[in-house]
Amino acid sequence: TKISAKQAPSGGYRSITVTLNVTILAVDPVVTASGFLDRTVEIIPGTPQQISLAAPVSNSPGVWTFTSSDVAIASINGNSLTALKPGKVTVTAVQGPALKFGASKPFTISVFVKGRQSLTAPANVEKLAGDPDVAIAYPTSQSTGKWSATSSDPTIAAVNGSAIKLGNAGTATITLTQEATDSWIASSTTFSVRVIGVTPTLGAFAPFEVSVGEKLDTPKSPLSNSAGKWIYSSSDPKVFAVIDNIITGVAIGSATISAYQQPAGKYGQSNTLQTTVTVKAAPVVTPTPTPSPSASPSASANPTAAIAPKASASLSKRVISIYAVNTGSASVIAMIDAKIVKIGKHTVAPGNRKVSVFVDGRLIYSRAFNVK
């Protein structure tokens, strides 16, 4: 403002006016950033995302103005920022003058707009064990982030640089991951690699024999270039049974055994082979009685007769209970209809049910029940 001073005329002097300018300086507002901090916004390309900008805290009532360094990446209207595409912008906030306060100094933050991609997974792969390596085809991406690949089971499909090395038979999941950048968040997608096992080459499956009551934990199996486990099944469990993959002679006769090899390593499941199993009578062992020291010569010549094994069964509602006594070390096999079961209680379905008990291949008990 201008201040004038005028002196009145006096004596031989005339009046004069002099002026001076007085400048009142505005007070600088006291400003803190508070919630005006760097921000990260995630968007799906083509779908703008809006956020509100928090102004710095000031003791001035002046109006804040926000500007963007690149409106193609993020535009600003009032205190609302609209993220348009991946990139980085600098947002500047300036408070206008008000009352005794002047304009604030500019405050700046960085806003990172990061894109989130939906990657298209490569097609699943099916190959034979022993096939050449499979090149990894990474998805099309707008990001420049570095790619990496991992396998859920390297014994089946191992990542070897930019290719997949095939191993054992089976299925593995390959995960492709692209690192995050300033403009894009990390992304990943998966596809499966199925390695089909080579069919094993098998030798002949020769017929073999087993005695009644004898158990074959490791029967002679066909020659094979695979290490897979052999699985057996019987065409007639009344002649020989397969329980927990153990072949057990039940009664004199013959039946067909089927065998196949489970997958192992680079080999898949084998073809099924069949042969004949002949069940022969158990060898008869005549025990030699041991005379008692106090027994007379005539008494020691008449050994005590062995107690015969016995079996029984009962029905209560839908539970059949099977019992066997005096069996010693003999082989005991119980059956309900044509299914081998353990000695004890069994819940059965309604209908006619036949219970049979064999001791060393000899039928010692048979009874039919009408289960309601």
Side-chain angles (χ1 to χ4, degrees):
T1 186
K2 181 183 289 186
I3 297 176
S4 300
K6 181 179 180 182
Q7 188 177 32
S10 176
Y13 297 95
R14 59 182 177 85
S15 175
I16 189 172
T17 301
V18 293
T19 62
L20 64 88
N21 292 322
V22 178
T23 301
I24 302 175
L25 300 177
V27 177
D28 289 333
V30 178
V31 182
T32 57
S34 187
F36 189 61
L37 302 171
D38 291 349
R39 300 285 298 274
T40 298
V41 186
E42 292 184 6
I43 66 169
I44 298 174
T47 305
Q49 181 70 31
Q50 285 189 337
I51 62 169
S52 294
L53 297 171
V57 173
S58 171
N59 60 346
S60 167
V63 176
W64 286 95
T65 301
F66 301 93
T67 56
S68 168
S69 63
D70 190 338
V71 294
I73 295 174
S75 62
I76 298 177
N77 183 11
N79 71 331
S80 178
L81 179 145
T82 302
L84 301 171
K85 68 177 185 179
K88 175 187 174 183
V89 297
T90 298
V91 174
T92 302
V94 176
Q95 189 179 34
L99 301 179
K100 66 178 182 178
F101 298 100
S104 71
K105 296 179 180 178
F107 275 72
T108 62
I109 60 171
S110 295
V111 175
F112 301 90
V113 181
K114 294 196 173 185
R116 177 186 293 277
Q117 298 186 90
S118 295
L119 300 175
T120 301
N124 295 330
V125 176
E126 280 194 2
K127 293 289 182 179
L128 285 175
D131 278 354
D133 293 355
V134 178
I136 299 175
Y138 290 102
T140 300
S141 171
Q142 300 179 63
S143 171
T144 58
K146 181 181 177 182
W147 284 98
S148 63
T150 57
S151 172
S152 63
D153 191 339
T155 64
I156 296 173
V159 176
N160 183 17
S162 60
I164 298 171
K165 187 174 184 62
L166 306 178
N168 295 335
T171 301
T173 298
I174 305 298
T175 301
L176 305 179
T177 303
Q178 190 174 30
E179 291 181 352
T181 66
D182 289 343
S183 302
W184 298 91
I185 64 172
S187 302
S188 65
T189 188
T190 63
F191 67 98
S192 66
V193 175
R194 181 185 175 214
V195 181
I196 302 171
V198 178
T199 302
T201 301
L202 305 179
F205 194 16
F208 60 93
E209 295 181 344
V210 62
S211 298
V212 172
E214 182 183 1
K215 295 182 178 180
L216 298 179
D217 295 335
T218 55
K220 292 183 178 180
S221 56
L223 292 176
S224 172
N225 53 357
S226 168
K229 179 182 178 181
W230 285 97
I231 303 298
Y232 303 98
S233 61
S234 172
S235 65
D236 190 350
K238 295 180 181 178
V239 176
F240 76 90
V242 179
I243 305 173
D244 295 332
N245 214 40
I246 297 175
I247 300 168
T248 303
V250 177
I252 296 173
S254 62
T256 299
I257 186 170
S258 298
Y260 70 89
Q261 206 172 19
Q262 291 182 330
K266 67 178 182 179
Y267 295 98
Q269 180 173 310
S270 74
N271 296 324
T272 299
L273 298 181
Q274 292 183 326
T275 191
T276 300
V277 175
T278 300
V279 181
K280 59 184 180 180
V284 178
V285 178
T286 305
T288 302
T290 303
S292 172
S294 60
S296 63
S298 60
S300 64
N302 297 304
T304 303
I307 302 175
K310 294 182 179 181
S312 62
S314 62
L315 174 65
S316 175
K317 295 184 179 179
R318 293 185 180 178
V319 177
I320 293 179
S321 300
I322 305 174
Y323 308 94
V325 295
N326 304 330
T327 58
S329 60
S331 171
V332 180
I333 295 178
M335 301 181 72
I336 296 179
D337 295 334
K339 181 180 179 181
I340 296 177
V341 297
K342 295 181 179 180
I343 299 296
K345 296 182 178 182
H346 302 276
T347 301
V348 296
N352 294 321
R353 299 286 173 257
K354 182 180 179 181
V355 176
S356 305
V357 179
F358 298 83
V359 175
D360 281 343
R362 182 169 57 89
L363 178 67
I364 68 167
Y365 180 82
S366 179
R367 182 179 175 183
F369 291 94
N370 184 15
V371 182
K372 297 182 179 180

